[in-house]
Amino acid sequence: MAQDKRPYIVVVIIQAIYTGMFILSKAALDEGLSPAVFLFYRQAVASILLVPITIGAKWGTQSKLSFMLLFKIFMLSLVGITVGLNVYHIGLKYTSETVASAAFNAIPVITFFLAFLLRMETLKIRKSHGMAKAAGVALCLAGVVVIAFYVGPTIHPLNHHRLFHPKGGSQSETHSNGEWIKGTFLLFFANTAWSLWLVMQGLILKECPSKLLLTTLQCVFSTIQTFVAAIALERDFSKWKMGFDVRLLAVVYCALFNAVISWYLQAWCLQVKGPVFVAMSNPLAIIFTVFSALIILGETIHLGSIIGGILTVAGLYSVLWGKNKESKISNSENERSKGQNTEQEVVVPIDETDSESSSRRLDVSV
């Protein structure tokens, strides 16, 4: 029972870490930190932390990594980290942490379709578990649509003092409608890259000898890639300077908790439960983010965000219920098949001409 609960506890921890990433990343970008430079710094710090740990652990194998596997991990880092996170940080700069966490909920929908196309997931629509999975994906999509297009009444914050004060004032003052739309589009593009990253990671884990090694190699490769991207995108080297403020806090937090801890936990969860299970936990991030924005950050929340969050969480539980029931049915069918195989009799032909063996069988029967 304890082992059955571990993946559920792990995904909650992962989403709590992502919530901190949303909030601190937005605060760092509002302080003027370049998105490309921010990503390079966090990946470099993560690599510095992970490489000694991986060498010390000896990653439990003597097998050599093939060139093809290294190339796959390099491309995995390029798609999910270098491209995905760079686009995400640019989109986050033009929007807010609440919108980022809301857009994050598109990942389960995209991941499910990618996994379905790659035959990593099944959808038996005539079965109850298949209908539950389809309904869950629809609810998640509906939640994203509600958050994006319905504002609703304003809910005033319980805390009227912002923890972080952006240099440009409030969000409505610093971002035009065009920037907001562009930022939202970029966030959804980043989510598509992350969905592909989750699916590819699930496939590569079958070849890679260690989850820790996979996490470390992704950080090392992405450090090189993001450095090249930062040099190309940010020519003003004054923006590379760091101080003892929220920018440094964001880099250290994202490197330690997001890139090191959450990615390792995510790799473990991918191996145990698959990419769709991990992606379907993303709606929890918006609940944590809305709570943090309302209680801690002193931000104004709209009713549309709460309704959308409820819909996405309902979709999460619907898909998890469907996957759980599908797993139970599959396990019972396997046990029934094994039971039928053990009950089959093996008939051994008897040679009637062998009088000695016949008499021996007669004595045993008497």
Side-chain angles (χ1 to χ4, degrees):
M1 182 63 70
Q3 287 186 343
D4 293 338
K5 292 180 179 178
R6 281 190 303 174
Y8 298 92
I9 297 173
V10 166
V11 293
V12 172
I13 295 173
I14 291 172
Q15 296 310 318
I17 292 174
Y18 277 137
T19 301
M21 180 191 73
F22 293 140
I23 294 172
L24 290 175
S25 297
K26 176 60 177 173
L29 295 174
D30 286 343
E31 286 292 324
L33 184 60
S34 169
V37 174
F38 174 44
L39 182 57
F40 163 67
Y41 279 150
R42 57 169 279 184
Q43 294 307 114
V45 174
S47 298
I48 293 171
L49 293 172
L50 274 174
V51 168
I53 297 174
T54 307
I55 294 175
K58 299 179 181 179
W59 40 278
T61 182
Q62 296 179 353
S63 58
K64 295 182 179 180
L65 297 174
S66 65
F67 173 79
M68 183 55 65
L69 179 58
L70 289 174
F71 176 75
K72 290 179 181 178
I73 298 175
F74 181 87
M75 295 304 297
L76 180 69
S77 305
L78 180 65
V79 171
I81 302 174
T82 305
V83 174
L85 286 179
N86 262 314
V87 174
Y88 161 77
H89 285 143
I90 297 172
L92 180 61
K93 187 175 182 179
Y94 291 138
T95 53
S96 69
E97 59 270 22
T98 304
V99 173
S101 62
F104 203 51
N105 293 305
I107 291 180
V109 182
I110 302 170
T111 304
F112 180 83
F113 282 115
L114 289 174
F116 179 73
L117 292 174
L118 294 173
R119 298 182 180 181
M120 297 173 65
E121 283 288 331
T122 59
L123 183 62
K124 299 178 181 178
I125 199 63
R126 295 183 179 180
K127 302 290 185 179
S128 60
H129 55 79
M131 290 188 289
K133 289 162 73 173
V137 172
L139 284 170
C140 282
L141 183 59
V144 173
V145 172
V146 168
I147 293 169
F149 297 103
Y150 175 66
V151 178
T154 299
I155 300 175
H156 296 287
L158 300 179
N159 175 22
H160 296 282
H161 301 282
R162 287 184 60 90
L163 183 61
F164 304 111
H165 299 275
K167 291 182 177 179
S170 65
Q171 293 167 356
S172 59
E173 295 173 343
T174 55
H175 302 303
S176 65
N177 289 335
E179 288 177 334
W180 196 269
I181 293 172
K182 180 171 68 173
T184 305
F185 175 78
L186 290 173
L187 288 174
F188 278 99
F189 180 84
N191 291 336
T192 303
W194 281 347
S195 298
L196 185 59
W197 179 57
L198 285 173
V199 175
M200 290 170 60
Q201 197 171 176
L203 295 173
I204 293 176
L205 274 169
K206 298 178 181 179
E207 303 178 41
C208 192
S210 168
K211 296 183 287 294
L212 178 60
L213 179 63
L214 176 61
T215 305
T216 303
L217 287 176
Q218 285 191 85
C219 285
V220 172
F221 285 147
S222 62
T223 299
I224 300 171
Q225 295 165 355
T226 54
F227 176 73
V228 175
I231 290 293
L233 296 174
E234 189 54 73
R235 302 295 180 88
D236 184 4
F237 287 97
S238 64
K239 294 186 177 181
W240 288 67
K241 296 180 180 179
M242 296 289 292
F244 290 95
D245 51 18
V246 69
R247 294 175 294 178
L248 181 61
L249 176 62
V251 168
V252 174
Y253 176 90
C254 290
L256 177 60
F257 289 96
N258 183 241
V260 176
I261 297 176
S262 73
W263 287 358
Y264 179 81
L265 293 176
Q266 182 175 273
W268 177 84
C269 213
L270 279 168
Q271 198 171 44
V272 174
K273 286 288 188 177
V276 173
F277 175 85
V278 176
M280 288 306 298
S281 67
N282 290 344
L284 295 175
I286 190 172
I287 303 299
F288 298 152
T289 305
V290 168
F291 176 82
S292 300
L294 190 65
I295 305 297
I296 302 174
L297 300 179
E299 289 190 349
T300 299
I301 303 298
H302 299 283
L303 182 61
S305 299
I306 296 178
I307 295 175
I310 293 172
L311 288 173
T312 51
V313 172
L316 164 68
Y317 287 121
S318 180
V319 170
L320 292 182
W321 181 88
K323 287 182 67 65
N324 187 46
K325 185 169 183 179
E326 184 181 40
S327 178
K328 288 181 179 179
I329 293 174
S330 177
N331 290 336
S332 65
E333 289 178 352
N334 290 336
E335 290 178 1
R336 192 181 305 116
S337 176
K338 290 179 181 179
Q340 290 176 353
N341 291 335
T342 56
E343 290 176 0
Q344 290 180 353
E345 293 184 358
V346 179
V347 179
V348 180
I350 299 175
D351 188 0
E352 296 295 341
T353 60
D354 189 353
S355 58
E356 184 179 353
S357 61
S358 299
S359 62
R360 193 178 296 122
R361 286 195 301 271
L362 181 60
D363 293 338
V364 170
S365 62
V366 172

